[in-house]
Amino acid sequence: MTLTKTTLMAAVLGLASVSAVQADDVPHSQIDTLVKDGTIQSLDKLDKVALDKHPNAKITDTDLENEYGRYIYQVELRDPQGVEWDLDIDASNGDVLGEEKD
């Protein structure tokens, strides 16, 4: 029984490791081309999506990643109360995919 639990845990951890490897940072030099091609929205538009979700917050960090062929814009914000938020936005259409309070 213990061997089975250990094997299952190793498999789950292995999948988590594979998932982390599949997200690649998009070099800043490629962003203009992706916007011009219509693959992603402009970063200004994506920033506005995040700020509309959290009015009066300040963007503290952003990152564009390619996850399994899907471009995800990750935005970190700090609101006026000092609360930090992480948003994942679909860079192709501006849909908020996830939001987490730090």
Side-chain angles (χ1 to χ4, degrees):
M1 186 75 161
T2 303
L3 182 58
T4 303
K5 288 181 182 178
T6 303
T7 304
L8 180 59
M9 182 59 79
V12 168
L13 291 174
L15 289 175
S17 298
V18 169
S19 295
V21 172
Q22 295 300 323
D24 296 320
D25 286 341
V26 176
H28 192 62
S29 60
Q30 291 181 0
I31 293 174
D32 285 341
T33 302
L34 291 169
V35 172
K36 287 178 186 173
D37 291 347
T39 303
I40 66 169
Q41 295 186 6
S42 74
L43 300 186
D44 289 338
K45 286 183 183 179
L46 297 171
D47 286 344
K48 184 176 179 335
V49 169
L51 292 171
D52 285 349
K53 190 86 168 142
H54 292 278
N56 301 316
K58 302 287 184 204
I59 294 175
T60 59
D61 194 22
T62 61
D63 192 31
L64 181 64
E65 291 190 351
N66 184 342
E67 297 181 10
Y68 300 103
R70 185 178 192 183
Y71 291 97
I72 308 297
Y73 189 58
Q74 298 174 331
V75 183
E76 294 178 17
L77 305 111
R78 179 172 288 125
D79 67 20
Q81 293 74 35
V83 177
E84 294 183 3
W85 296 90
D86 295 328
L87 273 73
D88 287 344
I89 301 171
D90 185 322
S92 69
N93 60 23
D95 287 346
V96 176
L97 303 172
E99 178 178 291
E100 185 176 304
K101 183 177 173 180
D102 275 348

